[in-house]
Amino acid sequence: MKVTAQPHDTTLTLILDGELDASSAVVLDTELNKPDLLTYQKVLIDCQRLSYISSAGLGVFISHLQRLQDSQVKLVFYNMQEKVFNVFEILGLDSLMTIVPSEQEAQAA
Amino acid sequence: MPNFRHAAWLLVVAGLCWLMLLLGSLSQGRAVLGLPPDWPRWLLLAAQGGFAASIFLYARLQPEALRGHGFIAVLRRLFWRGLVLTAGLVALLALERLRAARVLALPGNSLSATTYTISLGLFILLLAQTLYSWRALVSFRSSGKLRREWLAFELLLGATLLLQLIPWQLPDFLQVGSMLALGVFGVYLSGHQRWVAYLSQGQKAQAIFLQLGVLAFLLVFLQYLRGAQTNSLLLVPPTQQAFLVLASFFAVFYAVAGLLVTLFNLPIADVYEQRRAEILSLQQLSQIIQRGQTAPEIYHALFTSAVQTIRANAAWLDAQLQPTDQAGPLPAPLAHELTEADLAAMRPQLAALLSDEKTEFIDNDLLRSQRFAGLSRPYRSAAVLALRSPTHDYGVLVLLKDELGGFDPEDLSILHTFTTQTVLSLENLQLAQEARVSQRAQDELRIAALVQERLIPKHLPTDNWFEISTYAQAAKEVGGDFYDFLHLPGQRLAVLIGDVSGKGVTAAFHTAQMKGIFHALMQPNPLAKKDRDRYPDPHRFMVLANEALTHCLERSSFITASFYLIDYEAGGFSFARAGHCHTLYYHSIKEEVSYFRSEGLGLGILRDDSYGRHVKNQFWDYNPGDVMVIYTDGIPEARNGEGDEYGEERLARMLEQCFYQSAEEINQYIRHDVQEFSKGLPLHDDQTLLVIKFKASQPQV
């Protein structure tokens, strides 16, 4: 699992690459815990290369959801593979989080 | 002491023989105690031989003088005994002198004979002591061959005693020849001075002194006896020449040889000693490893061993470069003859030296190289060794000496052995600690698994209206799957299935919590007016459970669950899904398999009132023959060797193939297929599978 951060003006893009399980969840959590994250208006999560997400991986997003909402930072997922989207959907997260098909829509959201 | 009786008996014989010898000596030219004068020569020889033989046998039967490496103790005992015996001789001679000078008026001219006889006795005692002390030294670490040779030597010496008693004389050349041969034999035996190598420097000096003493005593006796032999005033019986000469020759020669060996050993003694110190230090180090002590103790052992063995004037062991994950407190730096200021001055210079790959080196001219400048004393030589393993730096050892060229490659190799040993033991220590930690974690997991095992209902609800079959398989680690049943009044059954995020002890803990919440919420509400309202409907159940979990679930954890309230009298059920896997259903009338795809958010994700909007209550009227398959994500997410997932579609296809069978058979059929799919792979996640098959309502029997 690799997390690449690409800051761009008011937007921070995190590119997830690999499987997000209990061990790699820590890497993502560190990235999301950075205080300057809250200075952005939007945090985009590029899921194109995210091949698997475990409950621990989901837990990381869930634990940061409230904090980002309180600071009015928008969290947007895009390019999600169907398998991964299924996991979000079953858990009911698709109704809580913004998940869009493409980068353009993510930028517009 | 089995030999004591014989030994004591020998002393009695020796005493009698000596008395006879004394009387025989006194009988020269006169009658003694009414016995005839001038006893026959053979009788005196026999008395003398008997005395010598019994004294030597007595000494021989004494317990082995040498215990372990107590060479000095052997020599010291011999020295003191020799001193006492010699003192006796000197006292006797002094008495005789005094009488000769007429200072003392002693009766008769029998005094010389008495003195001589006593002296001879003392000499034989000394000789026996010396001979058997030498035997102890010769046989140290000896082979069986050498012990046989020694026995032969003793037997030959004994034979010379007997020879004297034979009335006829051997031809001269034979006598001289055998004497010479035996002498050579003694010289050969004197070559066995192996014990000298085991003496330390100080012990060698002592050994030389003690051997000189023993030699001196022997020579004093020999001098006297030689004089006595030719003393015309003394009318003495012939002595056991051959035996005594040979024995004294051997005693003296062995002492001289030992003395020389010890003397020539002195210059190289410190090398042996250093080797010995090294071996001892290594032993100490390896003992510490075996006892698995703390890191500071290991460092201390290395430090003292290194300083003592190398004899450094100053030294420093800096453990500052320790890896941070090393358990236990960081040991304080160990310093010998160095001040705090010295250490502060050396640290940056050391760090610079060790920055490259070099881990050990010697600098034998510090003044010229200007290394370690700024020390309070001008040291001339330094040896530096880094304590490094492939993964960690454990510190650095610095030894300093005053003199130029203080360290040689030999020193470095010894120190290298020490440091490798130390690094090894530190690594072992770390491994042992890790093993302990992981052992504890394993124990905890075992307990958690046990807790979870107990949480799974052992008794399935039975009724004529439905069949239930369950299957649960935990992955290696403790997972968070759970399910439970509860019979409610009015022919209703509550079914709960769920999965706690995360694994291990926390998951087991939350599982137990969820089960508690289930049982608490399923208590009848006494205020409810209608019977149906006594228990929360599935939607309300989820809202209440979510609220309860808000207070005890950490922010990143959540629980997925499905809750079913089956009313088998009415032939329907209501259910709600909170992020849990969709329920698979076989519809017997439509002959169709499908999933109940409903919305529903996992528990613990939203922690405010808004949660209720994200979960829905649904109703379904079932028909006889309908089958409900409830499971956790371990089933559809089971993987095969290629990494493919089992999937919901395959699961649905399975139910299409087996819906007509009993609940237990359906369960087994699906389970078997999942296992075939992921054959040979370890279980990725917990798997739970519940099958409920509805039957046509039947009157209760």
Side-chain angles (χ1 to χ4, degrees), chain B residues 440-449 451-452 477-480 500-512 554:
Chain B
R440 227 179 73 182
Q442 272 174 20
D443 287 349
E444 280 177 4
L445 279 179
R446 204 168 40 77
I447 292 165
V451 168
Q452 219 170 26
E477 279 181 89
V478 180
V500 173
S501 74
K503 284 190 167 65
V505 184
T506 355
F509 176 67
H510 290 318
T511 310
E554 57 268 39

Side-chain angles (χ1 to χ4, degrees), chain A residues 19 52 55 59 62 90-92 95, chain B residues 556 560 577 579 601-602 614 639:
Chain A
E19 298 199 346
Y52 169 81
S55 56
I62 290 167
I90 286 182
L91 192 56
S95 69
Chain B
S556 61
T560 71
R577 188 184 73 88
L601 184 64
H614 292 274
R639 294 190 191 187

Side-chain angles (χ1 to χ4, degrees), chain A residues 19 52 55 58-60 62-63 66 83 87 89-93 95-96, chain B residues 501-502 555-556 558 560 577 579-580 582 600-602 605-606 614 639 684:
Chain A
E19 298 199 346
Y52 169 81
S55 56
L58 291 165
V60 173
I62 290 167
S63 64
Q66 194 66 46
K83 208 169 56 178
V87 179
E89 194 187 24
I90 286 182
L91 192 56
L93 287 176
S95 69
L96 289 186
Chain B
S501 74
R555 202 67 196 88
S556 61
F558 58 88
T560 71
R577 188 184 73 88
H580 197 73
H582 299 299
L601 184 64
I605 295 172
L606 271 183
H614 292 274
R639 294 190 191 187
H684 184 64

